[in-house]
Amino acid sequence: GGQSGGSLGPRLGYFLLSELHIPGIDYAHNLKLITWNVGGIHSPVKRKKILTALYRAHADVVMLQETHLSTTEHLKMKTGWVGAMYDSPALGKKAGVVILIKRGVDFEVSRVFHDPDGRYLFLKGTLGDKELVLGTIYGPHVCDKAFSGRVRRLLQSFGSLPLLVGGDFNAVMDPVEDRSWRGATW
């Protein structure tokens, strides 16, 4: 457990959905979302350790980036506490994102949007009776205007729906704000 913006280790963060104050969503309890760049999880031992850590953290919705896994391998994560798994699989040993939803979480997916290169995944659906979008992104390490354009157009297509997006963007919105950054910008 923890507080909004907490950390369970390097490259992992979480927040409580109830602290986001999305109009129209009534929360009977905190819904914990976790986003984590796992840096590859081919090893069954590492995969088990990550799933155990997420279970112990009482994760309700998990957004993993840089899994390096195919859909067949991602399906191996749908055990125990995981009720639903959606993915945008990796091409070879790079990229790959997945969203795991805990059993009992009342999120009904109506449409799935994924990147053919395994860099993003968005789930349009309802949480209780409120329509929203869950998404995860693993951005390229270099400036890729085509990628950022595709993501921007997709996000705009959701109109005024609440967006809950986690990920490793590998870029900054404003290089002046992050003067130490030498990578890609959006």
Side-chain angles (χ1 to χ4, degrees):
Q3 55 200 10
S4 173
S7 177
L8 296 173
R11 301 189 321 180
L12 177 140
Y14 68 90
F15 54 94
L16 302 175
L17 189 53
S18 62
E19 294 177 8
L20 296 177
H21 307 290
I22 298 173
I25 297 182
D26 181 29
Y27 302 93
H29 67 286
N30 287 328
L31 188 68
K32 187 182 283 186
L33 281 79
I34 294 179
T35 181
W36 192 350
N37 178 327
V38 293
I41 51 175
H42 278 284
S43 162
V45 172
K46 183 176 180 181
R47 211 169 23 237
K48 182 173 174 49
K49 285 181 180 181
I50 287 171
L51 287 170
T52 299
L54 294 167
Y55 173 77
R56 288 184 179 154
H58 305 286
D60 294 302
V61 176
V62 176
M63 302 166 177
L64 301 179
Q65 306 85 42
E66 201 177 3
T67 62
H68 301 174
L69 298 178
S70 66
T71 295
T72 302
E73 292 298 309
H74 279 143
L75 283 168
K76 293 178 181 178
M77 300 182 79
K78 193 177 173 198
T79 64
W81 62 271
V82 179
M85 185 282 305
Y86 301 89
D87 76 330
S88 183
L91 296 176
K93 291 193 176 192
K94 67 176 190 173
V97 293
V98 66
I99 296 178
L100 306 174
I101 301 175
K102 182 179 175 179
R103 289 185 197 284
V105 170
D106 186 21
F107 184 69
E108 192 71 33
V109 175
S110 60
R111 188 136 182 235
V112 177
F113 303 84
H114 60 87
D115 177 50
D117 296 326
R119 293 209 170 266
Y120 65 74
L121 172 67
F122 292 93
L123 306 176
K124 183 177 178 182
T126 54
L127 180 62
D129 63 353
K130 180 68 176 175
E131 191 173 29
L132 57 84
V133 177
L134 294 175
T136 185
I137 297 174
Y138 177 63
H141 289 278
V142 296
C143 183
D144 183 338
K145 292 183 189 271
F147 173 80
S148 58
R150 281 193 313 272
V151 171
R152 190 173 298 115
R153 284 187 299 279
L154 181 58
L155 293 175
Q156 290 170 340
S157 77
F158 297 130
S160 62
L161 288 178
L163 300 171
L164 301 172
V165 180
D168 182 348
F169 295 81
N170 280 319
V172 295
M173 297 296 285
D174 184 351
V176 174
E177 288 291 317
D178 186 353
R179 296 173 200 270
S180 66
W181 185 254
R182 299 287 182 255
T185 60
W186 287 75

